[in-house]
Amino acid sequence: GDSVTQMEGPVTLSEEAFLTINCTYTATGYPSLFWYVQYPGEGLQLLLKATKADDKGSNKGFEATYRKETTSFHLEKGSVQVSDSAVYFCALSPGGTSYGKLTFGQGTILTVHP
Amino acid sequence: GAGVSQSPSNKVTEKGKDVELRCDPISGHTALYWYRQSLGQGLEFLIYFQGNSAPDKSGLPSDRFSAERTGGSVSTLTIQRTQQEDSAVYLCASSLELAAAGELFFGEGSRLTVL
């Protein structure tokens, strides 16, 4: 079945540091890929998405590129802020007749210190 | 409302009791989803609705779990004869339509604790 593997956390960085959170996936067909973020005390929010190979999703300074050859969708940000402290989830949607059946990674806790 | 609303936000119950969790999706969203978030299992898909119909119930953990949606709006997730392993945060999400699957809008969840 489909699966998503994220780098284990927690990740602790200083403000303005470079961030990478690795995500790899296993899926049949042509899934769509997503990064969701959960800020403290809030619900999950879509951060960015990519629906086909070589697409780059971006939002709030975060980027991720859909790499079919390496089955990866790594999240990057050039300069993190304290307000980026949250839990980040990589996810895939198989599409086809499996609408809404997202498969999530385990989540990576990011803490950014001033 | 402006976002997905879930109630109760916290529920503590005794083993063996039944519980009902409610979800009010974003107005106009035709698709509604239930997920469960627990320490040991991460985020698990439970069920989704397109309108009032639930084409895929494969994620429901056992026959003690059921869900319904009426009027294409509010949904209720019912857990009968709760067990301690049912303790988790139950998340509801909605999307404008199934074609937008993956672009889900989540509520803050209902935290269930079974003693």
Side-chain angles (χ1 to χ4, degrees):
Chain A
D2 297 344
S3 67
V4 175
T5 302
Q6 287 181 236
M7 66 182 287
E8 292 189 16
V11 175
T12 303
L13 296 173
S14 297
E15 208 164 24
E16 299 183 3
F18 184 86
L19 168 71
T20 299
I21 301 178
N22 289 339
C23 172
T24 57
Y25 69 91
T26 302
T28 55
Y30 304 95
S32 295
L33 302 174
F34 306 85
W35 278 99
Y36 277 82
V37 59
Q38 188 171 30
Y39 297 104
E42 299 184 15
L44 278 164
Q45 305 173 21
L46 178 65
L47 180 60
L48 53 83
K49 67 170 185 174
T51 57
K52 62 182 186 297
D54 300 324
D55 267 3
K56 177 185 283 188
S58 62
N59 186 26
K60 299 182 180 181
F62 290 89
E63 292 183 340
T65 302
Y66 187 164
R67 301 286 189 200
K68 191 168 177 64
E69 64 275 14
T70 55
T71 62
S72 65
F73 193 55
H74 305 321
L75 182 69
E76 296 183 336
K77 186 174 185 182
S79 176
V80 293
Q81 305 300 311
V82 172
S83 57
D84 293 327
S85 298
V87 184
Y88 292 82
F89 294 89
C90 185
L92 71 82
S93 173
T97 57
S98 300
Y99 292 115
K101 202 169 181 177
L102 290 178
T103 298
F104 285 88
Q106 291 295 314
T108 301
I109 300 172
L110 170 66
T111 303
V112 181
H113 292 297
Chain B
V4 176
S5 178
Q6 292 188 245
S7 62
S9 55
N10 278 286
K11 176 72 175 179
V12 179
T13 190
E14 294 179 349
K15 178 181 172 181
K17 301 285 189 183
D18 297 352
V19 297
E20 283 190 355
L21 307 176
R22 176 189 166 103
C23 174
D24 200 344
I26 293 173
S27 178
H29 280 196
T30 62
L32 184 147
Y33 315 82
W34 285 98
Y35 285 80
R36 179 167 72 172
Q37 187 175 24
S38 57
L39 280 177
Q41 300 296 323
L43 273 155
E44 304 171 86
F45 167 83
L46 297 179
I47 189 171
Y48 83 88
F49 289 88
Q50 173 59 26
N52 294 331
S53 174
D56 187 351
K57 303 179 182 180
S58 63
L60 294 177
S62 75
D63 58 9
R64 296 185 295 103
F65 287 72
S66 62
E68 65 175 12
R69 188 180 187 196
T70 55
S73 181
V74 171
S75 176
T76 302
L77 177 68
T78 301
I79 310 172
Q80 295 179 310
R81 305 180 303 281
T82 52
Q83 303 295 312
Q84 288 183 333
E85 62 262 28
D86 299 334
S87 296
V89 178
Y90 289 83
L91 298 174
C92 178
S94 67
S95 64
L96 191 58
E97 55 188 13
L98 272 184
E103 300 182 55
L104 306 185
F105 294 81
F106 282 84
E108 293 187 19
S110 292
R111 181 177 297 277
L112 174 65
T113 304
V114 182
L115 301 177

